[in-house]
Amino acid sequence: MIAILDKYPLAPHVYYMLLEAPLIAAKAQAGQFVIVRAAEEGERIPLTIADYDRTRGTVVLVFQETGKTTRLLASLHQGGTILDLLGPQGNPTEIERFGNTVVIGGGIGVAPIFPLARALREKGNTVTAIVGFRSREYVFWEEKMAQVSNRLVMTTNDGSYGTKGFVTDALKGLLDSGETIDRVFAIGPALMMKAVAEATKEKNIKTIVSLNSLMVCGMGMCGACRVTVEGVTRFTCMDGPDFDAHQVDFDVLIKRLETYTCEECGE
Ligand code: FES
């Protein structure tokens, strides 16, 4: 049993959960995920580690209530427990001194880019963070992102906060400014990552995307996470979750995600 030390809503249907998990916190690195089983009747779901504190032995998960399993998780509270937590799983994001980096997070994808931006900064990179939400009420972690980035660009689709438009609009503005960008990272909805990949491909800027939202078992057993990369089938949970965005077949990915969503929600 894993103790829930804190839990509260960050935005509509989006929750912060702080868990006591010293063994996972000791090893966690940016880009990795955990497999969560909330209770006996719950499915196993992968969630990216949104933050960790090695000293306190805690990990933070941020999740969106989208289906049966995440509804069950959302019904748990501080002082309660979740059944089990497996991890850290997946390959850590490759962090080197790249130079000028851009990290892009859309919606719930803003949570996993936080440890990524922090790791990039710690390695001596310049970090521009572009984060996007549907509207003002969905905005979270602005302060946290500001702490780990040299420049933070906030966008909302409806313009109710920050710059009006999509993260890709802000990215294109940056690309068109002529600024030299050495590496781009994007985490968020598949359509967003596809648009980021198309924008950076034109400029030949290496771009990494995290495809972990696709996973079910997270251990190489179910095959649900298979993606096509460079024309070859790869398992997101074992071979990823990070992949070169310019090699990912996003159309196949988007089709598979639609199937997964229906299975998850039972509708
Ligand atoms: S999530 Fe089941 S094989 Fe990867």
Side-chain angles (χ1 to χ4, degrees), residues 100-104 128 130 151 153 166-186 192-207 246:
N100 195 18
T101 63
V102 177
V103 298
I104 302 169
T128 296
I130 303 175
R151 176 171 47 176
V153 181
F166 298 108
V167 288
T168 38
D169 297 326
L171 172 65
K172 282 175 190 160
L174 207 56
L175 296 174
D176 291 343
S177 75
E179 184 173 318
T180 302
I181 297 170
D182 299 297
R183 190 160 295 213
V184 173
F185 299 85
M192 182 208 92
M193 294 192 286
K194 180 182 180 188
V196 168
E198 284 166 357
T200 57
K201 194 167 185 174
E202 277 176 28
K203 307 277 182 186
N204 203 22
I205 301 169
K206 179 135 182 171
T207 301
H246 301 155

Side-chain angles (χ1 to χ4, degrees), residues 16-249:
Y16 168 101
M17 188 176 266
L18 179 69
L19 298 170
E20 185 175 37
L23 296 179
I24 295 175
K27 290 192 200 156
Q29 294 181 62
Q32 291 186 298
F33 62 95
V34 288
I35 306 289
V36 181
R37 196 156 58 120
E40 286 288 356
E41 64 273 27
E43 302 281 333
R44 297 154 43 82
I45 54 164
L47 290 173
T48 304
I49 299 168
D51 198 2
Y52 50 84
D53 186 323
R54 300 198 202 287
T55 312
R56 292 189 182 152
T58 56
V59 299
V60 171
L61 303 180
V62 172
F63 62 94
Q64 190 165 19
E65 202 179 353
T66 53
K68 209 165 50 181
T69 308
T70 43
R71 272 198 296 275
L72 174 62
L73 202 55
S75 71
L76 304 176
H77 298 288
Q78 179 182 2
T81 56
I82 63 169
L83 186 62
D84 52 53
L85 198 64
L86 179 70
Q89 304 287 106
N91 301 302
T93 300
E94 179 195 6
I95 305 286
E96 286 176 16
R97 190 157 183 169
F98 301 113
N100 195 18
T101 63
V102 177
V103 298
I104 302 169
I108 191 81
V110 172
I113 66 161
F114 168 74
L116 169 60
R118 181 173 59 191
L120 287 166
R121 275 292 290 277
E122 284 171 0
K123 205 73 176 175
N125 293 286
T126 301
V127 177
T128 296
I130 303 175
V131 300
F133 300 93
R134 274 158 61 186
S135 63
R136 185 186 193 110
E137 62 175 333
Y138 289 91
V139 172
F140 67 88
W141 281 17
E142 181 179 4
E143 269 183 32
K144 270 174 88 86
M145 286 308 304
Q147 284 165 12
V148 294
S149 46
N150 300 79
R151 176 171 47 176
L152 174 62
V153 181
M154 303 286 296
T155 67
T156 50
N157 299 1
D158 63 1
S160 54
Y161 195 73
T163 308
K164 186 176 193 300
F166 298 108
V167 288
T168 38
D169 297 326
L171 172 65
K172 282 175 190 160
L174 207 56
L175 296 174
D176 291 343
S177 75
E179 184 173 318
T180 302
I181 297 170
D182 299 297
R183 190 160 295 213
V184 173
F185 299 85
I187 309 178
L191 276 173
M192 182 208 92
M193 294 192 286
K194 180 182 180 188
V196 168
E198 284 166 357
T200 57
K201 194 167 185 174
E202 277 176 28
K203 307 277 182 186
N204 203 22
I205 301 169
K206 179 135 182 171
T207 301
I208 304 297
V209 286
S210 173
L211 305 183
N212 52 348
S213 56
L214 191 69
M215 288 181 260
V216 177
C217 78
M219 301 177 73
M221 296 188 298
C222 70
C225 70
R226 61 188 183 274
V227 287
T228 307
V229 182
E230 274 188 293
V232 174
T233 298
R234 307 285 298 275
F235 278 9
T236 306
C237 63
M238 303 303 285
D239 303 320
D242 287 357
F243 292 100
D244 182 334
H246 301 155
Q247 310 290 350
V248 173
D249 187 329

